[in-house]
Amino acid sequence: MTSREWRKPRNKHVPVDVVSAVWATVIALTITTVATKAVGPAALGERDLPRLFTKVIELLAPAILAALIAVGTFTGADGDLVIDARAAGLAAAAAVFAVSRNSLLAAVAAAAIVAAAVRALGGT
Amino acid sequence: MRAGAPIAVASLLVGTSFGVLAEPVMGTVAPIVMSAIVFAGSAQFGALAVLAAGGGAGAAVAAGVLLNMRYLPMGISIAASTRGGWFRRGLAAQPLIDAGWAMSHRGDSRYDLPFMWGVTAVNYPMWVGGTALGVFAGDLIGEPDRLGLDALFPAFFLGLLVGEGSEGRRGWIAALLGATLALSLAPVTPPGVPVMAGSLAALIALQPRRENDVS
């Protein structure tokens, strides 16, 4: 950071305790990500784990991703359940994936465009 | 390296989205540093979603760590393809990303790690550069909600979810259960808790499989 930026911080609207939470998150996630990627190869070499253990871990990804989709689409600021433009965007993305499951770019774009269109037409 | 090109384009756009969405919550520098040193898209989006909803660092890290849990089985799957001592093996797993990992599978339990490193080598500058672009172009782009950018998170995660096809029918049951658990808890728990609770849906794997269940 240059001294000029230091005098005029861009993010002055971000409170100090939020800033420290942000950096704590960045540092902790860096350490845990490196460790998570490394632990299998470093500890195992070529050994096998109990099958049930790996089965649970495999299902974590779909369970968590679905939870994130649900919370990110259907909850408002206070955690209340809502249906708004984001639901239309998600439906558009689902339609794209139904045609081609590898079309991440098109699906993400469709979600944004449809959500924006709903809001432009007066939706929330 | 050429095989990584389509993923690099996707990475640039999603990285840009991350920068746009992260700047109002995290400021200018932190999102770029995060992309450079965390380099795990879904964990970054997950942690950001918690922070944006007013959650603390603990809940944000927990969401990110839970999202990164898939790196455990992925790491285990490439373990047999790594060589050397524990440090070299751990280091070889650092360029692990979803797309590169899937593309480097060569049948049985073999993974072409140099191929995976090549995909990541193309991907990394796009992800970090895209984040920087999003952070600085965010002011030109304006209100993310007006452009429907808040719909990007769920669409992106949906893309990862449909990419999880290898888990079969149980994966979809876990997904449905995880979403239901999270939505039931969202109105009554702090931000971050619903998603963590949703991860409990993975425990359905402990239920014994029927003989004729081939999914």
Side-chain angles (χ1 to χ4, degrees):
Chain A
M1 186 181 276
T2 67
S3 57
R4 194 156 154 263
E5 283 171 318
W6 183 246
R7 263 181 265 125
K8 274 183 72 180
R10 274 174 57 93
N11 57 334
K12 58 190 172 194
H13 57 286
V14 180
V16 172
D17 58 332
V18 173
V19 170
S20 55
V22 163
W23 284 107
T25 301
V26 170
I27 292 162
L29 264 189
T30 301
I31 295 166
T32 54
T33 303
V34 168
T36 309
K37 287 178 175 179
V39 68
L44 281 185
E46 297 168 23
R47 247 174 298 155
D48 284 330
L49 276 185
R51 184 128 180 86
L52 270 183
F53 179 77
T54 58
K55 280 280 156 200
V56 171
I57 290 173
E58 273 175 43
L59 289 186
L60 275 174
I64 293 164
L65 287 170
L68 274 168
I69 294 164
V71 170
T73 304
F74 300 110
T75 66
D78 308 323
D80 49 322
L81 302 185
V82 295
I83 291 179
D84 58 19
R86 292 171 296 169
L90 185 67
V96 171
F97 287 128
V99 175
S100 164
R101 53 167 55 192
N102 293 320
S103 302
L104 182 67
L105 266 175
V108 166
I113 290 166
V114 168
V118 168
R119 291 206 178 101
L121 294 171
T124 51
Chain B
M1 298 255 287
R2 187 171 297 167
I7 302 152
V9 175
S11 206
L12 181 70
L13 191 86
V14 178
T16 305
S17 314
F18 177 72
V20 171
L21 292 170
E23 197 271 344
V25 180
M26 300 175 66
T28 310
V29 183
I32 302 169
V33 173
M34 191 186 209
S35 282
I37 66 176
V38 176
F39 187 56
S42 54
Q44 290 177 235
F45 273 106
L48 172 62
V50 172
L51 290 174
V61 172
V65 167
L66 286 170
L67 274 161
N68 274 344
M69 286 291 276
R70 70 186 187 284
Y71 287 137
L72 281 176
M74 285 162 69
I76 289 165
S77 70
I78 64 166
S81 302
T82 57
R83 294 284 171 269
W86 67 269
F87 186 81
R88 274 193 63 184
R89 286 176 182 272
L91 199 63
Q94 292 312 308
L96 185 62
I97 57 172
D98 298 327
W101 170 75
M103 290 167 68
S104 67
H105 195 204
R106 292 289 174 266
D108 297 331
S109 60
R110 306 309 301 176
Y111 283 83
D112 185 348
L113 292 192
F115 182 90
M116 188 184 83
W117 299 332
V119 173
T120 298
V122 178
N123 213 60
Y124 184 84
M126 292 294 155
W127 180 249
V128 180
T131 304
L133 192 68
V135 163
F136 292 112
D139 290 344
L140 301 175
I141 293 167
E143 179 60 47
D145 284 7
R146 189 174 55 82
L147 295 174
L149 291 187
D150 56 341
L152 290 177
F153 280 127
F156 176 73
F157 290 138
L158 184 65
L160 290 181
L161 183 61
V162 297
E164 287 286 330
S166 58
E167 265 74 71
R169 200 167 61 84
R170 285 211 164 185
W172 289 110
I173 295 171
L176 206 62
L177 197 57
T180 307
L181 270 173
L183 283 184
S184 319
L185 288 174
V188 291
T189 60
V193 173
V195 174
M196 269 188 277
S199 71
L200 293 176
L203 292 176
I204 63 165
L206 298 179
Q207 183 201 356
R209 216 167 257 232
R210 286 189 302 274
E211 287 293 317
N212 60 356
D213 184 355
V214 292
S215 68

